[in-house]
Amino acid sequence: MSSLSSYAARTKSFQPSSFSSSSLPISQNFISLVGKSSSVPKSTAKRLFSIMSTAAPIAPQGSRVEGAESFLRNVLASMEAVYLSRNPTAKAILELVRSVHNDTICYDHIAFRTFGMNGHGIDSLARFFLDFGYTQREELSFPAKKLKAFWFSPPSISNAVYDGDGVNGPLPRVFISQLLVDQMSQQTQEIIRKYTESSYNGKKHAALASALGSLTWEKPSHSEFVQLVRESEYASWTLVNGFALNHVTISTHRLKSYLKNIKSLNQFIEENGYKLNNEGGVLKVSPDGLLLQSSTLADSISFEFSDGVTASVPCSYIEFAERLVLPQYKHLPLAEVKEHHRRDGFEVGNADKIFESTSRQQQTANA
């Protein structure tokens, strides 16, 4: 079954494995992982296998069956479980925010990073969300970082039965970026080509890889990782984290406590001993003043490279976003304000600085 079975061979260090093309259907490949050690809790893994085995492709929006939304949320829950198992800062902050007035957390958006090569870019993850009713929205360009991104709005379906916390609340926006690999140095291109080619058909199952916490390519060498760090920390992050969630974002204005004001939330987080990304200032504000964002610094995790070197690498972080009411809806009483009355979308200037949450420079500056 190729190298898929090596996924379970983990220690306390984060050692995501790879899988290659196989004649076995996904369900058979997946069942071999259940019951073995992995970063996904066993109960989550069993649930994911169950839904992957029984769920059928979704019909076009308008004829969506109830089970499809449940399947989507179960996949998101598995992605979230991997994220929380690897990022203690995010887990602790979510618990802290919930502890204030027993609050409920809604996610503004979730984000992923990808390589724009050999079919492993934005489309590899987007197809999953598009199949489940998401809509592709604006493109964002980051020339200095050699990146581009698209964001996707959630389907306009009833969330009446999903008024809970996190992935059981309103469906989040999705932000997917990709490295413009053809603009990188030849050496960096060759390294990325090597690993994306070793993935074979892994690009077709990017969402599954994210839900499992598994790389779809071979475990890289430390020397190649260092080469990517020199040119693009985005590239080096993606090499060792793959399609894993890069961050989740708390929708601050949906909180019930005083933390709904993002400045109060930032202060609360820092008072509890957590460091925030201060690139361009702790609070990132869009030119129209209606989108306010901040983020923590990424956690680090021990990674065992293929050449035997074990080193600390950046993992993920948690973001916070407050969307203010659009001018044309300022007259509405606060109790009548809905999400569509607020500023939507993303802002290049804000996102460019949020990307720095995984940079070594930010981590060193805040040490």
Side-chain angles (χ1 to χ4, degrees):
M1 191 174 60
S2 84
S3 60
L4 220 171
S5 59
S6 67
Y7 170 73
R10 295 173 184 265
T11 63
K12 290 184 179 179
S13 298
F14 163 42
Q15 302 173 39
S17 63
S18 59
F19 63 85
S20 59
S21 178
S22 170
S23 58
L24 294 176
I26 293 174
S27 60
Q28 292 182 39
N29 279 324
F30 182 81
I31 191 63
S32 68
L33 302 179
V34 177
K36 298 184 180 181
S37 174
S38 81
S39 63
V40 185
K42 189 178 293 185
S43 60
T44 301
K46 287 182 177 178
R47 183 184 72 237
L48 182 59
F49 169 67
S50 174
I51 58 179
M52 294 294 272
S53 300
T54 60
I58 190 168
Q61 190 165 342
S63 60
R64 181 177 290 101
V65 293
E66 208 171 285
E69 184 179 355
S70 176
F71 172 70
L72 169 62
R73 289 179 183 275
N74 273 286
V75 174
L76 293 177
S78 295
M79 292 176 175
E80 180 190 47
V82 172
Y83 167 81
L84 294 176
S85 73
R86 295 177 179 174
N87 298 283
T89 294
K91 184 176 181 180
I93 287 175
L94 287 168
E95 290 172 355
L96 271 173
V97 174
R98 289 186 182 109
S99 72
V100 179
H101 297 289
N102 195 29
D103 219 331
T104 298
I105 288 173
C106 298
Y107 289 150
D108 178 89
H109 67 274
I110 59 175
F112 304 88
R113 295 182 177 185
T114 67
F115 286 135
M117 176 175 271
N118 292 327
H120 287 74
I122 292 169
D123 289 348
S124 62
L125 273 165
R127 64 171 63 97
F128 171 79
F129 292 99
L130 293 171
D131 282 349
F132 284 85
Y134 274 76
T135 301
Q136 181 173 301
R137 302 293 293 274
E138 294 83 17
E139 179 178 354
L140 293 89
S141 179
F142 307 88
K145 287 183 168 64
K146 299 181 174 63
L147 305 174
K148 76 171 185 178
F150 279 97
W151 74 276
F152 301 79
S153 56
S156 54
I157 53 182
S158 172
N159 285 299
V161 295
Y162 293 100
D163 57 356
D165 188 86
V167 296
N168 291 313
L171 287 171
R173 300 167 184 82
V174 173
F175 183 96
I176 310 174
S177 57
Q178 75 175 37
L179 182 70
L180 302 174
V181 181
D182 59 355
Q183 296 183 18
M184 309 304 289
S185 70
Q186 192 61 37
Q187 187 176 5
T188 291
Q189 288 187 48
E190 288 172 1
I191 292 170
I192 296 172
R193 182 176 296 108
K194 169 185 172 180
Y195 288 100
T196 53
E197 285 181 351
S198 79
S199 171
Y200 297 105
N201 287 322
K203 63 192 175 187
K204 295 181 181 179
H205 309 294
L208 177 60
S210 182
L212 292 175
S214 175
L215 293 177
T216 65
W217 46 76
E218 311 170 3
K219 197 160 52 171
S221 71
H222 184 253
S223 59
E224 290 167 320
F225 173 76
V226 170
Q227 166 58 30
L228 295 195
V229 169
R230 293 192 187 107
E231 188 170 353
S232 167
E233 290 191 290
Y234 180 106
S236 62
W237 188 95
T238 307
L239 185 68
V240 295
N241 288 280
F243 294 113
L245 272 175
N246 176 254
H247 65 269
V248 304
T249 302
I250 294 176
S251 178
T252 66
H253 57 269
R254 286 170 161 169
L255 295 172
K256 301 181 182 72
S257 74
Y258 73 98
L259 299 180
K260 65 171 46 184
N261 179 296
I262 195 169
K263 292 181 181 178
S264 298
L265 178 60
N266 289 342
Q267 182 179 345
F268 174 77
I269 289 167
E270 290 182 317
E271 286 175 349
N272 277 278
Y274 297 99
K275 298 184 184 299
L276 297 174
N277 169 357
N278 60 17
E279 180 72 17
V282 166
L283 188 64
K284 286 69 168 157
V285 184
S286 61
D288 61 11
L290 299 177
L291 177 59
L292 315 178
Q293 293 169 275
S294 60
S295 61
T296 65
L297 300 179
D299 280 324
S300 294
I301 198 164
S302 181
F303 187 98
E304 184 180 334
F305 291 90
S306 62
D307 49 7
V309 176
T310 298
S312 177
V313 300
C315 207
S316 303
Y317 57 95
I318 188 165
E319 184 187 324
F320 319 101
E322 182 177 0
R323 297 177 182 275
L324 301 185
V325 178
L326 293 166
Q328 61 267 38
Y329 301 118
K330 286 284 189 182
H331 65 282
L332 291 175
L334 189 58
E336 295 180 17
V337 172
K338 307 298 182 186
E339 191 70 7
H340 65 269
H341 295 133
R342 297 179 180 273
R343 210 279 200 180
D344 204 359
F346 292 83
E347 188 64 43
V348 168
N350 287 17
D352 185 73
K353 297 175 180 66
I354 294 289
F355 275 125
E356 294 299 314
S357 294
T358 58
S359 76
R360 291 174 184 264
Q361 183 177 353
Q362 268 291 306
Q363 300 214 350
T364 301
N366 280 271

